[in-house]
Amino acid sequence: MNFKTFSAEETAEIANKFGQNAKKGDIFCLSGTLGAGKTVFAQGFAKGLGYSGRVTSPTFTLVNEYENARLPLYHFDLYRLEDKNDLESIGYEEYFFGNGVCLIEWPERAEGFLPPNFYSVKIIYLNENAREIYIENTGD
């Protein structure tokens, strides 16, 4: 699926629809340059799950957990991950294969740990307002 958005609100709205339809065990891998809109996508997605609180990027903690929604949401930011084995130390299996939904920013840093079936979300920065978003289920 391909989308073009012209505001942060439009990006969040697309993500909202995916959050509304998310199922237990879904993993969404968010790729894009710094400032592309990955956190905006995460905010819209969380809202679609029914989470009404503030959603921020877990840049320094690796993962933020949002429990007060239809499904638990685990939002990873692996940008500062120094060693893939750090994922083991935080118990990634409980997140990736648990009862919630995962959003993973910088998923290439988790190569070898991801299951074969996930949603690849590529956000391409076009200009200050415009983005192209490509979403593909790798299991299809």
Side-chain angles (χ1 to χ4, degrees):
M1 290 174 267
N2 302 331
F3 305 92
K4 192 166 187 179
T5 64
F6 297 96
S7 68
E9 293 79 18
E10 287 182 14
T11 297
E13 186 55 38
I14 287 168
N16 183 300
K17 289 182 170 101
F18 280 91
Q20 289 174 20
N21 294 305
K23 300 178 301 302
K24 175 180 98 169
D26 282 349
I27 296 176
F28 289 79
C29 293
L30 310 178
S31 300
T33 59
L34 288 171
K38 296 180 297 292
T39 300
V40 168
F41 190 95
Q43 291 166 341
F45 191 95
K47 187 174 181 182
L49 278 175
Y51 184 76
S52 60
R54 185 168 183 242
V55 173
T56 60
S57 184
T59 302
F60 295 101
T61 60
L62 293 183
V63 64
N64 285 343
E65 299 180 20
Y66 303 102
E67 300 283 342
N68 297 325
R70 177 174 61 81
L71 294 167
L73 174 62
Y74 308 117
H75 180 195
F76 290 81
D77 184 334
L78 304 181
Y79 183 73
R80 297 189 188 281
L81 188 71
E82 293 183 23
D83 184 339
K84 287 183 196 180
N85 294 325
D86 289 343
L87 285 173
E88 290 180 346
S89 70
I90 64 168
Y92 80 94
E93 295 104 335
E94 292 179 35
Y95 296 110
F96 289 10
F97 306 105
N99 293 320
V101 178
C102 293
L103 295 179
I104 304 172
E105 297 185 35
W106 304 98
E108 62 275 9
R109 296 176 186 253
E111 190 175 331
F113 289 86
L114 294 171
N117 187 19
F118 59 86
Y119 291 91
S120 171
V121 180
K122 294 181 179 161
I123 304 173
I124 299 171
Y125 176 94
L126 299 175
N127 63 46
E128 186 175 315
N129 295 315
R131 308 288 189 274
E132 286 183 351
I133 303 171
Y134 299 92
I135 301 175
E136 173 186 14
N137 186 334
T138 62
D140 287 347

